[in-house]
Amino acid sequence: MSLRVILRILGLLLMLFSLTLVPPILISLWFRDGAWEGFTIALAITIATGAVLYWPNRLARKELRNRDGFLIAALFWTVLGSFGALPLMLEDTYALSLTDAVFESFSGLTTTGATVITGIEFLPEAIRYYRQQLQWLGGMGIVVLAVAILPTLGVGGMQLYRTEIPGPLKDSKLTPRITETAKALWYIYASITLLCIVAYWLAGMDWFDAVGHAFSTVAIGGFSTYDASIGHFDSAVIELICIGFMIVSAMSFSLHFVAWREKRLTQYLKDPEARFLLLFLIGLSLVTVTSLWLTSTYTDAEVLRHGLFEVVSIATTSGFGVADFSGWPGALPFLLFVTAFVGGCSGSTGGGIKVIRIILILKQGMREILRLIHPNAVIAVKIGKVSVPDGVAQAVWGFFSVYVMLFLLMLVGVMATGVDQVTAWSTVASSLNNLGPALGEATSHYGDIPTLAKWILVLAMLLGRLEIFTLLVLFTPAFWRR
């Protein structure tokens, strides 16, 4: 393992992240909210730490291996989340405690969207913007950004890319060179963000809210510049725009690249994963809207508006809100939370298990049933017309098993801190799936959750963002063995 090379790269990435503190400083000076001092101190600490890590190891050059990529991804997200908390702790008037600041920072970078803050609209504009920016950076992954603009990573960049891009089929590349792949992803990501900003602005948001909500929408994060989230604007047009961009962002960015390159929108209907996601959202929307209508929960117009928005928001793990779905009748709140386990498509900014894994699990289940009928038959698992290797299929079952076991383990851990079962179940599910909203005592915010429970949830966010194995592999003896 190339420790000096890892420290050099970590230092470079940390110095790069320090530059992202410049926009909040400029916004603070523009609005004269007084928060610029805390951001300036945080910038100095971050860039100094990065320089200390980089300078002694600046001449270290060696090709990265898989193990190096895993360690860099895990270290960087952990370090970045920690340093991202600095501005939230250093702001004089609204300073958060260490636990709350780290929770908010990790929640932003992992695009979870859970918050411990109330009265968001009364915070300094720099802080309000910074929370949204954290989600935008975390959406596609700061590591992919670094691969795209830091040529010093060289040929080892593929190892970083494979540990960062979500989903089971990580060896596929859009372009022959990994740097070009990362750039292509970011061009698409930035273009969709720009379109979302313009759409929100034309729908009636001011530029500040349009930028902030576009950042969290495309990142499928869920942070808002208001406590009431998207519901603050009470606009059907804004909600419709948000629904559209949440669906787009929940689809694979590789698919967006192919559709753009071939200039064919039919690519979305041909893709099995995107098709499954759309049908899943349509079916869930029908169930939800029908249930709300039969129980007269809202007026006829509000039934369609609130039902459709909350379904798309929760199922894609965005976490925006226009209504309090926790008070919906029957099993609807539980049903929506279960759908968050499905999440977005592989290669999207969404959380959850990922649509492609759910498809594979369903197809493998059907194969086992057919094997009972035809014991000697050779039945291939296919995604579209492509046969899935048995190694990928086995990895999916392994991922699912570990996912469930970790969920149960963290659920018991949170309950052991004194949290009731409903709150514990929903907060762990929300954190592990990078969703945000929860039930019980955390319906409005996570501020009242015990300190130890917050740290467990931070771990859940990180596990969900790095898709479990990237982090768990570091705790195996074989990883550190020469």
Side-chain angles (χ1 to χ4, degrees):
M1 188 172 297
S2 309
L3 181 59
R4 293 191 62 189
V5 176
I6 292 173
L7 291 176
R8 178 178 66 86
I9 293 173
L10 189 62
L12 279 172
L13 295 176
L14 203 52
M15 288 190 288
L16 174 66
F17 176 71
S18 70
L19 299 179
T20 66
L21 299 178
V22 174
I25 293 174
L26 297 178
I27 287 177
S28 178
L29 294 174
W30 176 268
F31 285 100
R32 299 180 181 179
D33 61 13
W36 65 271
E37 293 184 0
F39 281 98
T40 302
I41 296 172
L43 186 152
I45 294 173
T46 304
I47 198 170
T49 305
V52 168
L53 293 175
Y54 169 77
W55 188 253
N57 305 295
R58 64 190 183 281
L59 300 179
R61 294 289 192 279
K62 190 175 181 180
E63 182 177 346
L64 294 175
R65 300 178 180 179
N66 284 347
R67 293 195 301 176
D68 300 322
F70 287 128
L71 186 58
I72 289 173
L75 275 178
F76 185 70
W77 278 93
T78 304
V79 172
L80 188 62
S82 302
F83 278 81
L86 289 176
L88 302 175
M89 291 189 294
L90 296 173
E91 208 286 319
D92 291 336
T93 308
Y94 298 93
L96 298 179
S97 66
L98 172 64
T99 298
D100 286 348
V102 170
F103 184 95
E104 197 78 10
S105 176
F106 272 90
S107 180
L109 282 169
T110 59
T111 70
T112 302
T115 184
V116 295
I117 301 176
T118 57
I120 295 172
E121 50 262 53
F122 303 111
L123 294 174
E125 279 74 8
I127 296 290
R128 296 170 70 200
Y129 168 82
Y130 177 65
R131 294 170 70 249
Q132 309 302 114
Q133 180 183 269
L134 280 175
Q135 293 208 315
W136 190 75
L137 292 173
M140 182 58 71
I142 195 70
V143 177
V144 177
L145 172 63
V147 171
I149 67 176
L150 291 179
T152 52
L153 293 182
V155 295
M158 186 58 186
Q159 277 69 31
L160 293 179
Y161 175 80
R162 291 179 65 237
T163 58
E164 179 59 25
I165 292 296
L169 306 176
K170 299 185 181 185
D171 287 319
S172 58
K173 295 186 290 185
L174 311 181
T175 56
R177 293 180 58 84
I178 182 58
T179 52
E180 295 301 317
T181 298
K183 287 178 182 178
L185 291 172
W186 269 101
Y187 288 148
I188 295 169
Y189 189 62
S191 299
I192 294 175
T193 303
L194 183 60
L195 288 174
C196 191
I197 291 173
V198 173
Y200 277 145
W201 181 73
L202 291 175
M205 287 189 184
D206 60 35
W207 70 268
F208 182 84
D209 288 333
V211 171
H213 286 89
F215 279 179
S216 55
T217 301
V218 177
I220 305 191
F223 271 169
S224 175
T225 51
Y226 300 94
D227 281 344
S229 190
I230 296 294
H232 168 84
F233 302 98
D234 193 22
S235 168
V237 176
I238 288 176
E239 292 166 18
L240 190 61
I241 291 171
C242 188
I243 289 172
F245 279 97
M246 283 190 292
I247 294 174
V248 168
S249 301
M251 292 183 180
S252 171
F253 278 74
S254 300
L255 181 60
H256 295 322
F257 178 85
V258 173
W260 171 79
R261 184 175 58 186
E262 298 186 3
K263 304 296 188 295
R264 292 181 182 177
L265 293 177
T266 55
Q267 292 292 336
Y268 293 101
L269 297 179
K270 292 180 180 178
D271 183 74
E273 194 178 16
R275 192 165 60 244
F276 182 95
L277 175 65
L278 292 174
L279 291 175
F280 179 71
L281 292 177
I282 291 172
L284 185 60
S285 297
L286 288 175
V287 171
T288 302
V289 170
T290 301
S291 298
L292 293 175
W293 180 69
L294 290 176
T295 55
S296 301
T297 304
Y298 299 108
T299 62
D300 290 348
E302 289 178 332
V303 162
L304 181 60
R305 180 175 162 184
H306 293 341
L308 181 60
F309 186 93
E310 290 298 326
V311 163
V312 175
S313 179
I314 301 300
T316 60
T317 71
S318 299
F320 285 120
V322 295
D324 183 12
F325 75 94
S326 65
W328 284 359
L332 280 181
F334 178 80
L335 174 64
L336 289 180
F337 255 93
V338 170
T339 62
F341 280 89
V342 177
C345 295
S346 174
S348 73
T349 54
I353 293 174
K354 298 295 183 298
V355 172
I356 190 67
R357 289 194 179 99
I358 299 299
I359 295 175
L360 285 172
I361 289 172
L362 293 175
K363 285 182 176 290
Q364 288 181 84
M366 182 57 65
R367 180 173 67 172
E368 295 306 313
I369 292 175
L370 293 176
R371 278 178 171 173
L372 293 176
I373 303 172
H374 306 286
N376 298 322
V378 178
I379 305 171
V381 174
K382 292 185 177 181
I383 298 295
K385 297 180 180 180
V386 179
S387 295
V388 177
D390 286 340
V392 173
Q394 292 173 7
V396 168
W397 276 110
F399 177 90
F400 181 74
S401 301
V402 175
Y403 203 89
V404 172
M405 287 189 291
L406 283 174
F407 171 76
L408 294 175
L409 183 62
M410 288 185 288
L411 171 60
V412 172
V414 172
M415 290 181 64
T417 66
V419 177
D420 66 89
Q421 184 176 353
V422 173
T423 304
W425 182 88
S426 62
T427 53
V428 172
S430 185
S431 299
L432 189 59
N433 292 319
N434 302 136
L435 170 61
L439 304 175
E441 296 178 3
T443 299
S444 56
H445 61 87
Y446 286 60
D448 298 329
I449 300 295
T451 297
L452 180 57
K454 289 177 183 175
W455 285 104
I456 295 174
L457 296 179
V458 167
L459 176 61
M461 295 176 198
L462 193 58
L463 284 167
R465 183 63 183 87
L466 293 178
E467 300 213 6
I468 295 180
F469 286 131
T470 303
L471 191 60
L472 287 186
V473 72
L474 302 182
F475 296 94
T476 60
F479 179 84
W480 301 100
R481 196 175 297 131
R482 287 180 178 270

PDB file of all heavy atoms in Angstrom, residues 110-125:
ATOM      1  N   THR A 110     -23.273  13.417   1.938  1.00  0.00           N
ATOM      2  CA  THR A 110     -23.787  12.119   1.522  1.00  0.00           C
ATOM      3  C   THR A 110     -25.153  12.240   0.858  1.00  0.00           C
ATOM      4  O   THR A 110     -25.752  11.227   0.498  1.00  0.00           O
ATOM      5  CB  THR A 110     -23.903  11.159   2.721  1.00  0.00           C
ATOM      6  OG1 THR A 110     -24.778  11.734   3.705  1.00  0.00           O
ATOM      7  CG2 THR A 110     -22.539  10.902   3.350  1.00  0.00           C
ATOM      8  N   THR A 111     -25.635  13.458   0.686  1.00  0.00           N
ATOM      9  CA  THR A 111     -26.943  13.781   0.095  1.00  0.00           C
ATOM     10  C   THR A 111     -28.079  13.107   0.851  1.00  0.00           C
ATOM     11  O   THR A 111     -29.090  12.729   0.260  1.00  0.00           O
ATOM     12  CB  THR A 111     -27.014  13.409  -1.405  1.00  0.00           C
ATOM     13  OG1 THR A 111     -27.024  11.991  -1.564  1.00  0.00           O
ATOM     14  CG2 THR A 111     -25.841  13.988  -2.167  1.00  0.00           C
ATOM     15  N   THR A 112     -27.917  12.961   2.163  1.00  0.00           N
ATOM     16  CA  THR A 112     -28.983  12.377   2.976  1.00  0.00           C
ATOM     17  C   THR A 112     -30.109  13.377   3.195  1.00  0.00           C
ATOM     18  O   THR A 112     -31.280  13.060   3.020  1.00  0.00           O
ATOM     19  CB  THR A 112     -28.422  11.891   4.327  1.00  0.00           C
ATOM     20  OG1 THR A 112     -27.393  10.938   4.085  1.00  0.00           O
ATOM     21  CG2 THR A 112     -29.516  11.262   5.171  1.00  0.00           C
ATOM     22  N   GLY A 113     -29.760  14.587   3.611  1.00  0.00           N
ATOM     23  CA  GLY A 113     -30.784  15.612   3.778  1.00  0.00           C
ATOM     24  C   GLY A 113     -31.427  15.670   5.143  1.00  0.00           C
ATOM     25  O   GLY A 113     -32.368  16.436   5.361  1.00  0.00           O
ATOM     26  N   ALA A 114     -30.968  14.847   6.091  1.00  0.00           N
ATOM     27  CA  ALA A 114     -31.451  14.938   7.462  1.00  0.00           C
ATOM     28  C   ALA A 114     -30.807  16.154   8.124  1.00  0.00           C
ATOM     29  O   ALA A 114     -29.633  16.433   7.902  1.00  0.00           O
ATOM     30  CB  ALA A 114     -31.091  13.672   8.233  1.00  0.00           C
ATOM     31  N   THR A 115     -31.566  16.874   8.927  1.00  0.00           N
ATOM     32  CA  THR A 115     -31.025  18.086   9.526  1.00  0.00           C
ATOM     33  C   THR A 115     -31.325  18.163  11.013  1.00  0.00           C
ATOM     34  O   THR A 115     -32.320  17.608  11.488  1.00  0.00           O
ATOM     35  CB  THR A 115     -31.596  19.342   8.839  1.00  0.00           C
ATOM     36  OG1 THR A 115     -30.984  20.521   9.388  1.00  0.00           O
ATOM     37  CG2 THR A 115     -33.103  19.438   9.015  1.00  0.00           C
ATOM     38  N   VAL A 116     -30.432  18.814  11.738  1.00  0.00           N
ATOM     39  CA  VAL A 116     -30.639  19.061  13.169  1.00  0.00           C
ATOM     40  C   VAL A 116     -31.022  20.518  13.411  1.00  0.00           C
ATOM     41  O   VAL A 116     -31.206  20.930  14.549  1.00  0.00           O
ATOM     42  CB  VAL A 116     -29.354  18.739  13.967  1.00  0.00           C
ATOM     43  CG1 VAL A 116     -29.023  17.264  13.894  1.00  0.00           C
ATOM     44  CG2 VAL A 116     -28.177  19.582  13.475  1.00  0.00           C
ATOM     45  N   ILE A 117     -31.153  21.284  12.327  1.00  0.00           N
ATOM     46  CA  ILE A 117     -31.368  22.727  12.424  1.00  0.00           C
ATOM     47  C   ILE A 117     -32.848  23.060  12.267  1.00  0.00           C
ATOM     48  O   ILE A 117     -33.541  22.501  11.420  1.00  0.00           O
ATOM     49  CB  ILE A 117     -30.562  23.478  11.351  1.00  0.00           C
ATOM     50  CG1 ILE A 117     -29.067  23.186  11.512  1.00  0.00           C
ATOM     51  CG2 ILE A 117     -30.813  24.970  11.425  1.00  0.00           C
ATOM     52  CD1 ILE A 117     -28.206  23.809  10.429  1.00  0.00           C
ATOM     53  N   THR A 118     -33.327  23.986  13.070  1.00  0.00           N
ATOM     54  CA  THR A 118     -34.655  24.572  12.894  1.00  0.00           C
ATOM     55  C   THR A 118     -34.495  26.073  12.671  1.00  0.00           C
ATOM     56  O   THR A 118     -33.486  26.653  13.050  1.00  0.00           O
ATOM     57  CB  THR A 118     -35.540  24.332  14.128  1.00  0.00           C
ATOM     58  OG1 THR A 118     -34.883  24.860  15.296  1.00  0.00           O
ATOM     59  CG2 THR A 118     -35.792  22.845  14.339  1.00  0.00           C
ATOM     60  N   GLY A 119     -35.494  26.678  12.048  1.00  0.00           N
ATOM     61  CA  GLY A 119     -35.390  28.094  11.735  1.00  0.00           C
ATOM     62  C   GLY A 119     -34.351  28.368  10.661  1.00  0.00           C
ATOM     63  O   GLY A 119     -33.576  29.316  10.752  1.00  0.00           O
ATOM     64  N   ILE A 120     -34.334  27.512   9.628  1.00  0.00           N
ATOM     65  CA  ILE A 120     -33.313  27.614   8.577  1.00  0.00           C
ATOM     66  C   ILE A 120     -33.383  28.965   7.871  1.00  0.00           C
ATOM     67  O   ILE A 120     -32.348  29.546   7.517  1.00  0.00           O
ATOM     68  CB  ILE A 120     -33.493  26.462   7.565  1.00  0.00           C
ATOM     69  CG1 ILE A 120     -33.236  25.119   8.246  1.00  0.00           C
ATOM     70  CG2 ILE A 120     -32.552  26.628   6.370  1.00  0.00           C
ATOM     71  CD1 ILE A 120     -33.567  23.923   7.387  1.00  0.00           C
ATOM     72  N   GLU A 121     -34.596  29.485   7.660  1.00  0.00           N
ATOM     73  CA  GLU A 121     -34.729  30.756   6.938  1.00  0.00           C
ATOM     74  C   GLU A 121     -34.133  31.937   7.692  1.00  0.00           C
ATOM     75  O   GLU A 121     -33.913  33.010   7.109  1.00  0.00           O
ATOM     76  CB  GLU A 121     -36.192  31.038   6.605  1.00  0.00           C
ATOM     77  CG  GLU A 121     -37.133  30.896   7.767  1.00  0.00           C
ATOM     78  CD  GLU A 121     -37.833  29.539   7.769  1.00  0.00           C
ATOM     79  OE1 GLU A 121     -37.147  28.512   7.697  1.00  0.00           O
ATOM     80  OE2 GLU A 121     -39.075  29.536   7.869  1.00  0.00           O
ATOM     81  N   PHE A 122     -33.862  31.757   8.991  1.00  0.00           N
ATOM     82  CA  PHE A 122     -33.277  32.842   9.787  1.00  0.00           C
ATOM     83  C   PHE A 122     -31.753  32.743   9.895  1.00  0.00           C
ATOM     84  O   PHE A 122     -31.118  33.606  10.508  1.00  0.00           O
ATOM     85  CB  PHE A 122     -33.894  32.848  11.187  1.00  0.00           C
ATOM     86  CG  PHE A 122     -35.396  32.973  11.185  1.00  0.00           C
ATOM     87  CD1 PHE A 122     -36.188  31.900  11.567  1.00  0.00           C
ATOM     88  CD2 PHE A 122     -36.010  34.151  10.777  1.00  0.00           C
ATOM     89  CE1 PHE A 122     -37.575  32.002  11.557  1.00  0.00           C
ATOM     90  CE2 PHE A 122     -37.399  34.264  10.761  1.00  0.00           C
ATOM     91  CZ  PHE A 122     -38.177  33.189  11.159  1.00  0.00           C
ATOM     92  N   LEU A 123     -31.172  31.706   9.320  1.00  0.00           N
ATOM     93  CA  LEU A 123     -29.719  31.564   9.323  1.00  0.00           C
ATOM     94  C   LEU A 123     -29.081  32.574   8.373  1.00  0.00           C
ATOM     95  O   LEU A 123     -29.736  33.078   7.453  1.00  0.00           O
ATOM     96  CB  LEU A 123     -29.329  30.149   8.887  1.00  0.00           C
ATOM     97  CG  LEU A 123     -29.711  28.981   9.803  1.00  0.00           C
ATOM     98  CD1 LEU A 123     -29.373  27.665   9.117  1.00  0.00           C
ATOM     99  CD2 LEU A 123     -28.987  29.084  11.136  1.00  0.00           C
ATOM    100  N   PRO A 124     -27.804  32.882   8.557  1.00  0.00           N
ATOM    101  CA  PRO A 124     -27.102  33.729   7.579  1.00  0.00           C
ATOM    102  C   PRO A 124     -27.155  33.100   6.191  1.00  0.00           C
ATOM    103  O   PRO A 124     -27.106  31.877   6.060  1.00  0.00           O
ATOM    104  CB  PRO A 124     -25.664  33.769   8.119  1.00  0.00           C
ATOM    105  CG  PRO A 124     -25.782  33.473   9.580  1.00  0.00           C
ATOM    106  CD  PRO A 124     -26.937  32.520   9.707  1.00  0.00           C
ATOM    107  N   GLU A 125     -27.232  33.940   5.174  1.00  0.00           N
ATOM    108  CA  GLU A 125     -27.348  33.424   3.803  1.00  0.00           C
ATOM    109  C   GLU A 125     -26.171  32.534   3.432  1.00  0.00           C
ATOM    110  O   GLU A 125     -26.322  31.568   2.668  1.00  0.00           O
ATOM    111  CB  GLU A 125     -27.452  34.582   2.813  1.00  0.00           C
ATOM    112  CG  GLU A 125     -28.819  35.207   2.668  1.00  0.00           C
ATOM    113  CD  GLU A 125     -29.221  36.073   3.851  1.00  0.00           C
ATOM    114  OE1 GLU A 125     -28.359  36.306   4.735  1.00  0.00           O
ATOM    115  OE2 GLU A 125     -30.375  36.522   3.896  1.00  0.00           O
TER     116      GLU A 125
END
